[in-house]
């Protein structure tokens, strides 16, 4: 089916919840994807930080094929080996003692919110249920995670929202300290705000937040849906930032492209969940867990994490150098292979121009570009990105001399 016909049918049959680029992707290999007409693109979106091993990684493909032939789904009424092995792997390589599996980042954050409230209710009773989150955060699209998200544009039209949430400025500890009170059950934040403009948490801020939560017996939740599974150069961003949470959520890169989410917690907190207190029909199914196990094996046994660290540094430096050369670039920030570039021009025009030149990139807002390529991205591919960006910015400078 030609792309134009596919686009027409999509507009007829799909709800209009996405603004899509005018291409149809049909296959991928490594960091490259190919459209219906056979054009090649280097992928700096990676399924929005999902395809950490790139496209068609042989170990991931083989693990999925084996599991599909053996068992796809059995429900959580029974034990399955891939689920238990994945939980053990996550516990062995994190601060956590227990894991709950679901299907997405929103569901993982929903589980974290419910766990925090249930823990606080069991310990303190009805009056301690509020969650403090950050302005410009993003935690999902369910009603609870939509409410937890500190962006009015995401919440518009869905009122009344879930009660019990308040918002403070990110990286402003004094404001957070004032917001945490007798009714506070948890503080929830992203180590790096991805959708909110790629803002990195200050180490001192996180340490003060950890001390505040510990001192007041308030749970600290890290949403690592976008930063986890190698994205920042370590398995989890908290390892680099020097602060451990009480609850952590994962998704996106966890299954390398297969939908899976996870909520991890310390044992003392996880005990608040008992049989029937929370559940997910598809959560932790054998297929998704086998895929996630394959992703972790590659990350732990190979050189992918090391390459991600090196390429994250290289990308950050290259974008920073680009800022120094082009006045249209206002700021560059990020951690590892989660990088953002704030512009003085319309970021969506840059996305379109890059698409025409065979590069897939993403804009999180009118002025901010986000780069989240597979962790296997190479120096040569980053150089190509930087060269294309420079061409676009040079052209903009000529066409808009006032800038």
């Amino acid at each position: 089916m030609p792309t134009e016909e596919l686009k027409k049918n999509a507009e007829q049959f799909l709800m209009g919840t996405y603004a899509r680029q005018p291409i149809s992707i049909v296959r991928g290999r490594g960091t490259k994807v190919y459209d219906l007409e056979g054009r090649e693109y280097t992928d700096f979106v990676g399924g929005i930080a999902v395809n950490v091993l790139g496209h068609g990684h042989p170990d991931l493909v083989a693990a999925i094929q084996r599991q599909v032939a053996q068992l796809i789904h059995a429900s959580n009424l029974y034990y399955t080996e891939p689920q238990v092995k994945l939980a053990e792997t996550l516990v062995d390589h994190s601060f956590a003692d227990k894991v709950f599996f679901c299907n997405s980042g929103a569901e993982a954050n929903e589980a974290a919110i419910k766990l925090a409230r249930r823990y606080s209710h069991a310990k303190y009773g009805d009056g301690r249920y509020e969650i403090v989150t950050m302005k410009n955060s993003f935690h999902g699209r369910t009603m609870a995670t939509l409410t937890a998200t500190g962006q009015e544009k995401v919440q518009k039209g869905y009122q009344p929202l879930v009660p019990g949430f308040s918002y403070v400025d990110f990286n402003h500890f004094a404001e957070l300290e004032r917001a945490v009170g007798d009714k506070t059950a948890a503080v929830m934040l992203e180590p790096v705000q991805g959708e909110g403009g790629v803002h990195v948490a200050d180490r001192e801020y996180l340490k003060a937040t950890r001390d505040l939560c510990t001192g007041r017996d308030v749970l600290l939740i890290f949403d690592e849906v976008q930063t986890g599974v190698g994205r920042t150069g370590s398995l989890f961003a908290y390892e680099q930032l020097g602060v451990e949470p009480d609850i952590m959520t994962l998704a996106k890169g966890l299954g390398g492209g297969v939908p899976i989410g996870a909520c991890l917690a310390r044992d003392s907190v996880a005990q608040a969940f008992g049989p029937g207190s929370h559940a997910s029909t598809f959560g932790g199914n054998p297929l998704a867990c086998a895929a996630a196990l394959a992703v972790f094996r590659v990350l732990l046994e190979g050189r992918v994490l090391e390459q991600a660290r090196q390429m994250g540094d290289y990308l950050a430096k290259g974008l920073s150098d680009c800022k120094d050369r082009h006045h249209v670039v206002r700021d560059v920030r990020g951690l590892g292979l989660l990088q953002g570039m704030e512009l003085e021009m319309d970021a969506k025009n840059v996305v379109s121009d890059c698409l025409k030149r065979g590069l897939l990139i993403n804009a999180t807002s009118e002025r901010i570009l986000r780069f989240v390529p597979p962790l296997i991205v190479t120096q040569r591919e980053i150089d190509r990105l930087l060269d294309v960006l420079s061409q676009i910015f040079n052209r903009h400078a000529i066409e808009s001399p006032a800038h």
Side-chain angles (χ1 to χ4, degrees):
M1 185 184 298
T3 297
E4 282 304 312
E5 185 179 350
L6 187 66
K7 180 181 177 183
K8 180 180 177 182
N9 287 357
E11 291 171 351
Q12 181 178 354
F13 299 116
L14 293 175
M15 292 189 186
T17 53
Y18 304 103
R20 303 176 194 265
Q21 296 297 314
I23 62 170
S24 173
I25 296 175
V26 295
R27 64 186 178 92
R29 179 66 59 184
T31 57
K32 302 293 192 292
V33 293
Y34 302 85
D35 70 11
L36 199 57
E37 286 71 36
R39 291 183 290 259
E40 180 185 275
Y41 305 84
T42 303
D43 187 4
F44 278 85
V45 178
I48 312 182
V50 167
N51 303 105
V52 291
L53 302 184
H55 302 274
H57 191 284
D59 291 9
L60 180 56
V61 170
I64 292 170
Q65 289 175 332
R66 285 194 302 269
Q67 193 59 51
V68 164
Q70 184 172 334
L71 181 69
I72 297 175
H73 181 72
S75 99
N76 286 304
L77 296 174
Y78 315 100
Y79 298 104
T80 57
E81 189 174 345
Q83 184 183 103
V84 177
K85 282 187 172 181
L86 178 58
E88 181 181 5
T89 299
L90 289 171
V91 166
D92 285 347
H93 292 91
S94 75
F95 71 93
D97 303 304
K98 293 290 195 297
V99 184
F100 171 82
F101 289 114
C102 49
N103 310 286
S104 67
E107 289 179 52
N109 285 331
E110 187 89 15
I113 291 166
K114 290 179 69 175
L115 178 59
R117 283 190 168 184
R118 191 171 176 90
Y119 169 86
S120 189
H121 182 274
K123 195 167 184 180
Y124 294 102
D126 292 339
R128 191 161 157 141
Y129 60 89
E130 293 181 353
I131 313 286
V132 181
T133 69
M134 306 299 131
K135 294 175 183 177
N136 292 319
S137 60
F138 184 85
H139 298 295
R141 302 278 187 174
T142 66
M143 280 305 296
T145 57
L146 180 88
T147 307
T149 294
Q151 299 186 56
E152 289 185 7
K153 67 178 183 180
V154 175
Q155 301 169 344
K156 187 176 180 180
Y158 295 108
Q159 291 80 2
L161 301 176
V162 177
F165 290 86
S166 62
Y167 317 97
V168 297
D169 287 326
F170 190 51
N171 274 333
H172 288 263
F173 178 72
E175 188 177 344
L176 174 63
E177 189 175 29
R178 289 192 296 269
V180 173
D182 294 338
K183 295 183 178 180
T184 306
V187 173
M188 185 175 189
L189 60 86
E190 302 152 277
V192 183
Q193 290 187 333
E195 298 293 332
V198 193
H199 296 281
V200 183
D202 296 333
R203 291 176 66 92
E204 296 78 10
Y205 167 77
L206 286 184
K207 184 181 185 306
T209 299
R210 173 71 275 176
D211 292 342
L212 173 68
C213 290
T214 301
R216 300 192 186 181
D217 197 21
V218 168
L219 297 179
L220 179 57
I221 304 170
F222 279 1
D223 175 347
E224 290 227 28
V225 168
Q226 194 161 149
T227 57
V229 198
R231 173 58 49 192
T232 64
S234 54
L235 281 179
F236 312 110
Y238 80 80
E239 297 175 276
Q240 295 184 59
L241 297 171
V243 171
E244 292 185 353
D246 302 298
I247 302 172
M248 177 175 69
T249 57
L250 302 173
K252 287 194 180 290
L254 183 57
V258 176
I260 183 171
C263 176
L264 289 68
R266 300 183 188 279
D267 192 48
S268 58
V269 178
Q271 288 181 9
F273 273 172
S277 60
H278 194 49
S280 170
T281 296
F282 295 106
N285 67 76
L287 177 60
C289 288
L293 278 168
V295 170
F296 263 81
R297 275 196 296 269
V298 173
L299 292 182
L300 293 171
E301 296 173 7
R303 297 186 64 253
V304 175
L305 274 180
E306 182 183 344
Q307 180 170 351
R309 284 190 290 271
Q310 293 174 353
M311 292 302 100
D313 291 342
Y314 189 78
L315 176 60
K317 184 180 184 305
L319 293 173
S320 181
D321 290 345
C322 191
K323 173 181 177 293
D324 293 338
R325 294 194 308 271
H326 301 283
H327 295 303
V328 71
V329 182
R330 181 183 297 173
D331 191 23
V332 169
R333 52 186 180 257
L335 189 64
L337 285 173
L338 171 52
Q339 294 290 327
M341 176 179 272
E342 187 172 351
L343 304 176
E344 299 280 2
M345 63 182 291
D346 191 337
K348 293 178 182 178
N349 289 340
V350 180
V351 172
S352 297
D353 285 347
C354 281
L355 183 71
K356 294 171 186 175
R357 291 167 166 82
L359 291 172
L360 302 185
I361 65 171
N362 167 247
T364 65
S365 68
E366 292 180 359
R367 301 287 179 180
I368 298 174
L369 299 174
R370 174 178 53 181
F371 307 96
V372 280
L375 306 187
I376 60 170
V377 68
T378 65
Q379 182 174 320
R380 183 177 181 180
E381 289 164 338
I382 292 173
D383 286 340
R384 167 69 175 149
L385 168 72
L386 297 171
D387 182 55
V388 168
L389 289 174
S390 288
Q391 293 175 30
I392 293 170
F393 297 152
N394 282 332
R395 191 189 70 188
H396 176 77
I398 294 171
E399 294 175 352
S400 307
H403 294 281

